[in-house]
Amino acid sequence: MKKQFNRMRQLANQTVGRAEKTEVLSEDLLQVEKRLELVKQVSHSTHKKLTACLQGQQGVDVDKKSKKLPLTTLAQCMVEGAAVLGDESLLGKMLKLCGETQEKLAHELILFELTIERDVVDPLYDLAEVEIPNIQKQRKHLAKLVLDMDSARTRYYQSTKSSGLSSNLQPTGAKADHLREEMEEAANRMEICRDQLSADMYSFVAKEMDYASYFQTLIEVQAEYHRKSLELLQSVLPQIKAHQGEFPFLGLFRIAPSASKLKKLKASLDCGVMDVQEYSADPHAIAGALKSYLRELPEPLMTYELYNDWIQASNIQDQDKRLQALLNACEKLPPANNNNFKYLIKFLSKLTEDQDVNKMTPGNIAIVLGPNLLWMHNEGNIPEMMTTVSLQIVGIIEPIIQHADWFFPGEIEFNVTGNYGSPVHTNHNSNYSSMPSPDMEQMERKQNDQSRRPLSVATDNMMLEFYKKDGYDPSISTGITFKHI
């Protein structure tokens, strides 16, 4: 309280004594002073928001920072899940590989955040909380020294007036000398502080380029972090695809492909331009194209006309009689339908040879493909069809796949030479119109067949390429012309 009273008295003395108030800073430095406060506010706000973006705990060592990262927790969860499932399963391998990848990404994130803390966060903190406050503190100290000097000068002038001397004459005596020395000492302290403050403020202006570089560093460090993370992810993608290649038929026909990829594949098949290698790691797209082809035919491959024959055969309880009835229905198929159906069934039978890996038993195949091979002309009640008719269709397709060699004796030679036929039609629902007429010459018909094979041939051959990659002997599988419906 006493200190405040003395300060108020100094101010009063200045007013009473009508002494001029000393200008502390030049106009330029007054502008710098205003800018100091703005820079402090911006730096403080940016530091606070940037710190909030950091996922790791600030100011701790690498090990403690790593334990707090969500990526580290995710990596541990994946690795532990992989241990539970085992490396022999595709999911287990994927979890392990992805867990290791997340752990590497977490390491890159830690290095990134440490660099950001050192080169951006800490300098911004020093600027907002140390450098600028020190200058502002010095500015307040200078204001106090100016007040002290003005007060001392006022007392000295009052002494001059009370001694009766004119303003041009200086008072004499011990008191007057003391007041003059006090005034001069206060002025000297003020000048030293003002010079130091001016130097610090000009230095602040000169270092603005350095302060601006903090934000350039932020972008550069972020770019480097994302570049390394991208390289890491790109390096692991081939390994992921390789693991998928080890299980090429896992969930085949049951896992929906990417809609855009399926659309692209169908369009490329329709126009006769297709790169098999593009789909070599995605059998689900190929299986989806085959299902789409069968489903979008103008009538089912097993025909509307024979629908009742198929259903009646499936209702026969005696197995031998049921198989014979199914065979009779097969023999009633038009030749082109019969050829396509034979090709498809023999292929599906071959697919079941790896059912321990791909889980595609005859029953599973019948469930996912059966509704695409046979349906009612007028489907009527959808729930009823799904519960009753679909089960009957499964009862038709499953035994045919199980006894494929009995229904269709002889070997089918699948084309894995890479010389796939390309359809010339523009829509794979128009296969019927591409059938060669009976009066064609044999050679002309053969050429027509080779140039107008339907979509299912190309997709089947693409799928059989996976067999070749899995170790099937190509010498057993050479060239077949798939007859048109």
Side-chain angles (χ1 to χ4, degrees), residues 108 112 115 217-231:
E108 291 296 335
F112 161 73
T115 305
T217 300
L218 172 63
I219 299 301
E220 291 175 345
V221 174
Q222 283 180 316
E224 180 67 10
Y225 161 67
H226 288 295
R227 183 186 64 79
K228 289 184 177 179
S229 298
L230 179 60
E231 289 179 353

mmCIF file of all heavy atoms in Angstrom, residues 108 112 115 217-231:
data_model
loop_
_atom_site.group_PDB
_atom_site.id
_atom_site.type_symbol
_atom_site.label_atom_id
_atom_site.label_comp_id
_atom_site.label_asym_id
_atom_site.label_seq_id
_atom_site.Cartn_x
_atom_site.Cartn_y
_atom_site.Cartn_z
ATOM 1 N N GLU A 108 7.167 -44.350 -36.435
ATOM 2 C CA GLU A 108 7.342 -43.163 -37.279
ATOM 3 C C GLU A 108 6.603 -41.968 -36.681
ATOM 4 O O GLU A 108 7.092 -40.834 -36.729
ATOM 5 C CB GLU A 108 6.823 -43.434 -38.694
ATOM 6 C CG GLU A 108 7.652 -44.427 -39.485
ATOM 7 C CD GLU A 108 9.061 -43.925 -39.756
ATOM 8 O OE1 GLU A 108 9.264 -42.686 -39.764
ATOM 9 O OE2 GLU A 108 9.958 -44.757 -39.945
ATOM 10 N N PHE A 112 8.181 -38.407 -35.486
ATOM 11 C CA PHE A 112 7.585 -37.179 -36.019
ATOM 12 C C PHE A 112 7.228 -36.218 -34.885
ATOM 13 O O PHE A 112 7.556 -35.020 -34.931
ATOM 14 C CB PHE A 112 6.341 -37.537 -36.835
ATOM 15 C CG PHE A 112 5.398 -36.401 -37.057
ATOM 16 C CD1 PHE A 112 5.709 -35.377 -37.934
ATOM 17 C CD2 PHE A 112 4.177 -36.347 -36.383
ATOM 18 C CE1 PHE A 112 4.828 -34.312 -38.139
ATOM 19 C CE2 PHE A 112 3.296 -35.299 -36.588
ATOM 20 C CZ PHE A 112 3.623 -34.285 -37.467
ATOM 21 N N THR A 115 10.244 -34.646 -33.164
ATOM 22 C CA THR A 115 10.814 -33.582 -33.982
ATOM 23 C C THR A 115 9.960 -32.322 -33.920
ATOM 24 O O THR A 115 10.484 -31.201 -33.823
ATOM 25 C CB THR A 115 10.951 -34.043 -35.450
ATOM 26 O OG1 THR A 115 11.709 -35.260 -35.494
ATOM 27 C CG2 THR A 115 11.651 -32.993 -36.290
ATOM 28 N N THR A 217 9.057 -25.328 -40.968
ATOM 29 C CA THR A 217 9.554 -26.592 -40.413
ATOM 30 C C THR A 217 8.408 -27.560 -40.143
ATOM 31 O O THR A 217 8.523 -28.768 -40.395
ATOM 32 C CB THR A 217 10.328 -26.323 -39.113
ATOM 33 O OG1 THR A 217 11.431 -25.454 -39.388
ATOM 34 C CG2 THR A 217 10.836 -27.625 -38.505
ATOM 35 N N LEU A 218 7.296 -27.045 -39.640
ATOM 36 C CA LEU A 218 6.131 -27.890 -39.359
ATOM 37 C C LEU A 218 5.679 -28.624 -40.625
ATOM 38 O O LEU A 218 5.479 -29.846 -40.599
ATOM 39 C CB LEU A 218 4.990 -27.030 -38.816
ATOM 40 C CG LEU A 218 3.633 -27.728 -38.658
ATOM 41 C CD1 LEU A 218 3.723 -28.854 -37.639
ATOM 42 C CD2 LEU A 218 2.560 -26.723 -38.260
ATOM 43 N N ILE A 219 5.565 -27.902 -41.734
ATOM 44 C CA ILE A 219 5.114 -28.513 -42.981
ATOM 45 C C ILE A 219 6.154 -29.500 -43.505
ATOM 46 O O ILE A 219 5.805 -30.596 -43.975
ATOM 47 C CB ILE A 219 4.822 -27.429 -44.029
ATOM 48 C CG1 ILE A 219 3.703 -26.501 -43.536
ATOM 49 C CG2 ILE A 219 4.423 -28.062 -45.353
ATOM 50 C CD1 ILE A 219 2.404 -27.204 -43.229
ATOM 51 N N GLU A 220 7.417 -29.149 -43.423
ATOM 52 C CA GLU A 220 8.466 -30.034 -43.912
ATOM 53 C C GLU A 220 8.516 -31.334 -43.117
ATOM 54 O O GLU A 220 8.656 -32.424 -43.696
ATOM 55 C CB GLU A 220 9.826 -29.322 -43.841
ATOM 56 C CG GLU A 220 9.974 -28.186 -44.836
ATOM 57 C CD GLU A 220 11.273 -27.418 -44.666
ATOM 58 O OE1 GLU A 220 11.931 -27.573 -43.601
ATOM 59 O OE2 GLU A 220 11.643 -26.657 -45.583
ATOM 60 N N VAL A 221 8.393 -31.232 -41.808
ATOM 61 C CA VAL A 221 8.427 -32.440 -40.962
ATOM 62 C C VAL A 221 7.185 -33.295 -41.221
ATOM 63 O O VAL A 221 7.268 -34.533 -41.270
ATOM 64 C CB VAL A 221 8.515 -32.048 -39.470
ATOM 65 C CG1 VAL A 221 8.407 -33.284 -38.583
ATOM 66 C CG2 VAL A 221 9.832 -31.330 -39.199
ATOM 67 N N GLN A 222 6.043 -32.654 -41.391
ATOM 68 C CA GLN A 222 4.834 -33.409 -41.719
ATOM 69 C C GLN A 222 4.984 -34.125 -43.060
ATOM 70 O O GLN A 222 4.587 -35.291 -43.197
ATOM 71 C CB GLN A 222 3.631 -32.459 -41.772
ATOM 72 C CG GLN A 222 3.113 -32.046 -40.409
ATOM 73 C CD GLN A 222 1.927 -31.115 -40.515
ATOM 74 O OE1 GLN A 222 1.916 -30.191 -41.322
ATOM 75 N NE2 GLN A 222 0.910 -31.353 -39.704
ATOM 76 N N ALA A 223 5.526 -33.441 -44.044
ATOM 77 C CA ALA A 223 5.719 -34.056 -45.355
ATOM 78 C C ALA A 223 6.641 -35.266 -45.269
ATOM 79 O O ALA A 223 6.374 -36.320 -45.870
ATOM 80 C CB ALA A 223 6.286 -33.029 -46.337
ATOM 81 N N GLU A 224 7.716 -35.147 -44.497
ATOM 82 C CA GLU A 224 8.646 -36.262 -44.350
ATOM 83 C C GLU A 224 7.991 -37.437 -43.626
ATOM 84 O O GLU A 224 8.179 -38.603 -44.000
ATOM 85 C CB GLU A 224 9.882 -35.792 -43.575
ATOM 86 C CG GLU A 224 10.944 -36.858 -43.349
ATOM 87 C CD GLU A 224 11.612 -37.315 -44.630
ATOM 88 O OE1 GLU A 224 11.401 -36.674 -45.685
ATOM 89 O OE2 GLU A 224 12.358 -38.315 -44.586
ATOM 90 N N TYR A 225 7.203 -37.121 -42.605
ATOM 91 C CA TYR A 225 6.505 -38.178 -41.862
ATOM 92 C C TYR A 225 5.529 -38.932 -42.757
ATOM 93 O O TYR A 225 5.501 -40.169 -42.776
ATOM 94 C CB TYR A 225 5.777 -37.573 -40.675
ATOM 95 C CG TYR A 225 4.682 -38.445 -40.109
ATOM 96 C CD1 TYR A 225 4.978 -39.647 -39.475
ATOM 97 C CD2 TYR A 225 3.343 -38.074 -40.228
ATOM 98 C CE1 TYR A 225 3.972 -40.449 -38.960
ATOM 99 C CE2 TYR A 225 2.334 -38.875 -39.725
ATOM 100 C CZ TYR A 225 2.650 -40.061 -39.086
ATOM 101 O OH TYR A 225 1.658 -40.855 -38.598
ATOM 102 N N HIS A 226 4.740 -38.200 -43.519
ATOM 103 C CA HIS A 226 3.766 -38.851 -44.396
ATOM 104 C C HIS A 226 4.454 -39.597 -45.533
ATOM 105 O O HIS A 226 3.968 -40.649 -45.966
ATOM 106 C CB HIS A 226 2.782 -37.815 -44.952
ATOM 107 C CG HIS A 226 1.814 -37.295 -43.933
ATOM 108 N ND1 HIS A 226 0.867 -38.092 -43.326
ATOM 109 C CD2 HIS A 226 1.646 -36.060 -43.392
ATOM 110 C CE1 HIS A 226 0.155 -37.385 -42.467
ATOM 111 N NE2 HIS A 226 0.605 -36.150 -42.490
ATOM 112 N N ARG A 227 5.569 -39.088 -46.008
ATOM 113 C CA ARG A 227 6.308 -39.797 -47.059
ATOM 114 C C ARG A 227 6.816 -41.139 -46.543
ATOM 115 O O ARG A 227 6.657 -42.173 -47.207
ATOM 116 C CB ARG A 227 7.480 -38.947 -47.541
ATOM 117 C CG ARG A 227 8.262 -39.575 -48.698
ATOM 118 C CD ARG A 227 9.489 -38.761 -49.038
ATOM 119 N NE ARG A 227 10.441 -38.747 -47.939
ATOM 120 C CZ ARG A 227 11.275 -39.754 -47.656
ATOM 121 N NH1 ARG A 227 11.256 -40.857 -48.385
ATOM 122 N NH2 ARG A 227 12.106 -39.669 -46.651
ATOM 123 N N LYS A 228 7.413 -41.135 -45.354
ATOM 124 C CA LYS A 228 7.913 -42.391 -44.786
ATOM 125 C C LYS A 228 6.764 -43.355 -44.486
ATOM 126 O O LYS A 228 6.894 -44.569 -44.704
ATOM 127 C CB LYS A 228 8.704 -42.109 -43.519
ATOM 128 C CG LYS A 228 10.045 -41.430 -43.764
ATOM 129 C CD LYS A 228 10.818 -41.256 -42.468
ATOM 130 C CE LYS A 228 12.184 -40.656 -42.718
ATOM 131 N NZ LYS A 228 12.952 -40.449 -41.466
ATOM 132 N N SER A 229 5.653 -42.830 -43.991
ATOM 133 C CA SER A 229 4.498 -43.687 -43.703
ATOM 134 C C SER A 229 3.948 -44.296 -44.979
ATOM 135 O O SER A 229 3.586 -45.479 -45.016
ATOM 136 C CB SER A 229 3.406 -42.875 -42.991
ATOM 137 O OG SER A 229 3.866 -42.384 -41.744
ATOM 138 N N LEU A 230 3.888 -43.495 -46.048
ATOM 139 C CA LEU A 230 3.404 -44.001 -47.323
ATOM 140 C C LEU A 230 4.330 -45.078 -47.866
ATOM 141 O O LEU A 230 3.871 -46.116 -48.362
ATOM 142 C CB LEU A 230 3.268 -42.865 -48.331
ATOM 143 C CG LEU A 230 2.789 -43.255 -49.731
ATOM 144 C CD1 LEU A 230 1.413 -43.905 -49.665
ATOM 145 C CD2 LEU A 230 2.760 -42.042 -50.647
ATOM 146 N N GLU A 231 5.631 -44.863 -47.779
ATOM 147 C CA GLU A 231 6.590 -45.874 -48.228
ATOM 148 C C GLU A 231 6.414 -47.171 -47.453
ATOM 149 O O GLU A 231 6.487 -48.270 -48.014
ATOM 150 C CB GLU A 231 8.019 -45.345 -48.070
ATOM 151 C CG GLU A 231 8.387 -44.243 -49.054
ATOM 152 C CD GLU A 231 9.803 -43.741 -48.836
ATOM 153 O OE1 GLU A 231 10.437 -44.167 -47.836
ATOM 154 O OE2 GLU A 231 10.284 -42.922 -49.645
#
